[in-house]
Amino acid sequence: MSRWAELNDDGVHRFQAGDVAGAVAALEGALGVAAAGQRATTLVNLAGVLDASGDQERAAALLTDALAVAGPEARAVVLGSRADVLAKLGRTAEARQDVERGFATARPHEAVVLHLVRARLLLAEGRFAQAEAEASTAAGLAAAHAPHLAPHAHADLAAIAEAAGDPVRAAEYGRLVDRPDGVQPIGPRWHRCGTLNSHGAMLAMSGDAAGALAAFEAAYRETLGSDEDEALVCRAGVAANLAGLVDPLRWNTEAITLGRTVLHRVGNAYGTAGVLVNALVARAQHLRHESRSAEALADLDEAEGLAGGQPPILAVRAAVLSACGRFGEATEVATAALDLAYASAPQLAAFVHATLADVADGTGDRAGGAEHLGLARELAAATGDVAAQAAAVLSLARLAYLDSANDRAVALYGEAEELLRASGDERGLLVCLHGRAAVEVVRGRPREALEMLDRVAADHSGTPVERIAVLQVRGAALEALGEYAAADGQYGEAAEVAQRAGLWHVALGGAWWRADALVRWASTVDGQARRELSERALDHALPGALAAEAVRQRFGHGPVRERWVALAAAPALRSAFTAIAAVGDVELAAAYIDHVAGTASLSLAEAVPETSAARGELVGLPVPPVPRSPSSAAGERPLPSSEGDHLPYAASFAASTGEDPAFPATGFALPPRVRPDPAVPSALDRWIDVAERRYGFPVRSEQAVASW
């Protein structure tokens, strides 16, 4: 590199770093050693530094010197730069003359500055429409030929709109200033649509949902009947905003379809990729509530392909994974999302903590769930996110109810109701009413609970998870009234909803819930009726317990695996023993005891020091097996464990060959069946077969070992 190049580049770098004096010294040094063909470049650079520091007079003189030595290829740049400086000095006639001379030889990327100077001159004369047209032309050229100049064009457009008394348009252009990707604004034909859309957004943020809806609908009508690229750009943005107010699935889907079309036609010239990503994430969130996890994850995959692993994408992905029972993956993604949220998107932190609470609760760790919900509640309050705060309080109320802290639950539901009314969340108020109904049941007021549930059902069909919860509480209320057959019908319907939605983990919990209810019903009758009810209880409890226990095969040895057994699968095991006792099957009881004893549980004291076995490890679960039954969501398949290679223990048997996709080679081997005589099937074998068929994943291998 020549001495001139070193000094010239050093001057530019120093200026970019904010060292004006150093930049001037370096560039003046470059002038001292510049050859004839190099002087124009350095004079323009030095003039730019002086202009930025406020010395326009000297900058203009240097640019005049540069014009005298510039070759034909550089004249447009020099003329544009001098016109800009002359305009700042108020020498508008000379500036206008330089602009017109510059256009004579300017290439597209050089014309950007000339159009911007012309726009500034027109703005100074109060000719706002013409100024905006010039700046828009500059923005379009910058997007195509000089992306680094696009922010300057957008800043000028914002200033013109502000001067013209249009703060909405000014804000719209202002949002583009910090985007270095060459995104261009829409043309004048679609300005009314853009103005209506921006006005609707402002009304929505101020809480005027009706006014916002009217503005968005008017903006949408402006685009109808046109298939032009800019019309589709506008329509996509309006559809995405409409999705925030009404029919989110319909409007987000339209925004996604339009966004894909625009990207296919013109790429991201208008920033449509951002609209598409937001609509995909919003639709995934809606699909999550509907338990359509495979579709939600596909939307998130597309969003991540367009925008990378942004915090909102990761946060919703973690929530989807947790909702469909993939707790290990959910924890990994949520942890990454939480780190990013604290670093750059604090408004998302409450949502991610709520997801981690769902994982903890879903694996039996209510105390851990309460800790995360407490953080979510505090963060939401600090950021003014009333909806997130209400959701956290609602979940805390539910945990209080599950812990039989009824007074605390009622107080929390009251707090949640205040927040929900403040945010106008009618759906949330119905969820709150359902929670109060659950408390009424345990307080011995089942009829009042049923009245509340009737109000919930009349106003809101709910998501699959919400429908399951309502059915279970209704069943409990009917059971408390002695209407056992009706209660069982509610529990059965809840199980069907879980199966249709592919919620394997919810179905497992529902199995022991229903079995316990059948045992209680059996205790009220005698003879054959009692026998039949007890056998039905066994049919729900034992396969569910076997499947819940088998999920431990997804874990590596150590405290996490043991906590799954102790906290999540234990209720199912207790229910199975209760049902076996109810039918009085001694042989089956012995076989089940052999089965349970034959799957080793590690001693925490022997495995690791107690100080390292914190409850927080429970939320680091590896991926549980996903059902492969017809009811499973399309596209979901069991994934390998992330626990790494490790050795099996006791009846976990030899290391897997990886032949079964639910139990890959890196995990525990599928345990053998335990029988008094390995060659003779035990009373439990047929139940293992039932569990595997019903839940869609293996419970034990076909090998057998002798019981103890």
Side-chain angles (χ1 to χ4, degrees):
M1 182 181 290
S2 68
R3 180 62 177 159
W4 168 81
E6 289 180 1
L7 289 167
N8 183 76
D9 292 354
D10 183 48
V12 172
H13 293 151
R14 286 178 179 273
F15 177 62
Q16 292 171 339
D19 181 7
V20 174
V24 170
L27 290 168
E28 288 178 339
L31 275 177
V33 297
Q38 299 166 340
R39 288 186 60 79
T41 298
T42 303
L43 285 166
V44 170
N45 288 339
L46 181 56
V49 173
L50 294 171
D51 178 26
S53 63
D55 191 351
Q56 278 81 33
E57 290 287 356
R58 189 178 171 201
L62 289 173
L63 288 167
T64 300
D65 292 344
L67 191 61
V69 298
E73 74 286 350
R75 285 183 60 78
V77 172
V78 178
L79 285 166
S81 299
R82 190 172 73 167
D84 189 33
V85 173
L86 291 172
K88 294 174 184 176
L89 290 169
R91 296 159 61 178
T92 55
E94 297 171 76
R96 192 173 294 109
Q97 187 178 45
D98 275 358
V99 168
E100 300 310 319
R101 289 169 62 194
F103 274 125
T105 59
R107 291 165 291 186
H109 68 278
E110 297 166 338
V112 175
V113 173
L114 296 170
H115 281 292
L116 287 177
V117 175
R118 184 185 279 171
R120 292 165 192 166
L121 292 170
L122 291 166
L123 174 61
E125 297 173 4
R127 297 159 67 180
F128 302 126
Q130 292 168 281
E132 184 176 11
E134 286 293 327
S136 294
T137 300
L141 288 170
H145 304 286
H148 64 288
L149 294 176
H152 299 286
H154 296 143
D156 281 7
L157 283 164
I160 293 167
E162 188 70 40
D166 191 346
V168 174
R169 293 289 307 284
E172 180 182 342
Y173 286 124
R175 285 193 292 271
L176 299 174
V177 171
D178 296 328
R179 300 185 64 169
D181 52 6
V183 171
Q184 65 191 61
I186 57 174
R189 178 180 175 184
W190 305 105
H191 283 176
R192 174 172 168 75
C193 175
T195 299
L196 287 167
N197 194 33
S198 297
H199 182 57
M202 293 177 65
L203 290 172
M205 287 188 290
S206 68
D208 184 359
L213 181 60
F216 291 145
E217 288 175 340
Y220 186 80
R221 287 193 295 271
E222 290 285 324
T223 70
L224 295 178
S226 175
D227 190 47
E228 295 179 21
D229 296 338
E230 291 190 344
L232 300 187
V233 169
C234 293
R235 197 180 304 154
V238 176
N241 283 336
L242 279 166
L245 296 176
V246 292
D247 204 348
L249 186 58
R250 171 201 166 185
W251 287 112
N252 277 318
T253 297
E254 178 160 351
I256 289 166
T257 301
L258 292 166
R260 289 169 176 164
T261 300
V262 172
L263 287 182
H264 177 72
R265 288 185 182 181
V266 297
N268 196 35
Y270 298 94
T272 311
V275 175
L276 177 56
V277 167
N278 290 338
L280 286 164
V281 173
R283 187 169 74 172
Q285 179 77 310
H286 178 78
L287 292 170
R288 170 179 78 95
H289 289 304
E290 295 297 327
S291 298
R292 294 163 62 179
S293 57
E295 297 168 78
L297 292 171
D299 277 355
L300 294 170
D301 287 342
E302 183 178 352
E304 193 162 345
L306 289 166
Q310 294 183 355
I313 299 173
L314 293 178
V316 175
R317 183 183 293 279
V320 172
L321 291 168
S322 175
C324 65
R326 294 164 66 172
F327 300 120
E329 290 173 273
T331 302
E332 182 179 347
V333 177
T335 301
L338 195 61
D339 290 341
L340 290 173
Y342 278 125
S344 61
Q347 73 279 5
L348 287 173
F351 178 78
V352 182
H353 275 296
T355 296
L356 288 168
D358 287 341
V359 173
D361 184 32
T363 52
D365 185 10
R366 292 178 190 164
E371 287 182 9
H372 280 295
L373 288 171
L375 287 169
R377 179 187 189 180
E378 293 172 6
L379 288 166
T383 58
D385 189 341
V386 177
Q389 187 180 357
V393 175
L394 262 178
S395 294
L396 284 168
R398 173 182 169 275
L399 290 184
Y401 154 72
L402 292 174
D403 286 336
S404 300
N406 296 320
D407 290 342
R408 173 169 167 74
V410 169
L412 286 167
Y413 280 126
E415 180 183 343
E417 283 180 355
E418 292 181 10
L419 293 167
L420 292 163
R421 288 195 178 92
S423 62
D425 186 351
E426 296 297 328
R427 173 186 167 277
L429 286 170
L430 291 172
V431 174
C432 195
L433 184 61
H434 159 258
R436 285 187 177 277
V439 176
E440 291 301 300
V441 173
V442 298
R443 283 185 160 177
R445 302 174 63 188
R447 295 194 184 281
E448 289 81 352
L450 288 172
E451 291 175 2
M452 292 178 177
L453 293 172
D454 286 341
R455 288 160 55 192
V456 173
D459 295 334
H460 183 56
S461 61
T463 67
V465 171
E466 290 170 350
R467 290 198 296 275
I468 290 167
V470 169
L471 288 165
Q472 288 179 327
V473 174
R474 187 183 295 279
L478 291 168
E479 191 180 350
L481 291 169
E483 299 179 22
Y484 298 106
D488 184 62
Q490 296 293 299
Y491 298 145
E493 189 176 341
E496 291 174 3
V497 174
Q499 184 182 35
R500 288 195 301 270
L503 299 170
W504 69 271
H505 54 304
V506 177
L508 284 177
W512 67 258
W513 182 296
R514 188 179 188 186
D516 285 356
L518 285 165
V519 170
R520 289 191 292 270
W521 183 6
S523 69
T524 67
V525 296
D526 295 310
Q528 184 61 26
R530 183 169 192 158
R531 177 73 185 180
E532 290 175 355
L533 289 170
S534 298
E535 289 176 347
R536 285 183 57 200
L538 182 65
D539 182 62
H540 292 295
L542 188 51
L546 290 166
E549 179 264 338
V551 172
R552 76 166 72 190
Q553 303 306 320
R554 303 305 300 162
F555 309 157
H557 58 79
V560 174
R561 184 169 185 258
E562 304 315 306
R563 290 184 188 280
W564 165 264
V565 176
L567 298 177
L573 183 144
R574 288 194 296 269
S575 180
F577 274 120
T578 300
I580 292 170
V583 298
D585 191 331
V586 177
E587 182 181 357
L588 180 59
Y592 189 47
I593 290 170
D594 277 344
H595 173 91
V596 173
T599 304
S601 290
L602 302 177
S603 165
L604 290 182
E606 295 173 2
V608 290
E610 180 60 31
T611 55
S612 67
R615 185 184 63 251
E617 294 178 3
L618 181 61
V619 298
L621 299 175
V623 184
V626 178
R628 296 193 297 273
S629 64
S631 63
S632 299
E636 293 183 345
R637 298 186 64 187
L639 299 176
S641 167
S642 59
E643 291 292 297
D645 293 329
H646 45 259
L647 296 176
Y649 276 72
S652 291
F653 218 57
S656 171
T657 62
E659 294 175 356
D660 189 324
F663 297 95
T666 55
F668 275 97
L670 193 63
R673 302 182 184 220
V674 181
R675 301 168 179 165
D677 181 348
V680 179
S682 74
L684 189 65
D685 275 272
R686 79 173 186 88
W687 289 104
I688 293 174
D689 296 337
V690 169
E692 292 181 341
R693 287 195 303 271
R694 185 172 296 174
Y695 293 100
F697 55 84
V699 170
R700 289 294 169 108
S701 74
E702 292 301 319
Q703 296 173 287
V705 296
S707 60
W708 299 1

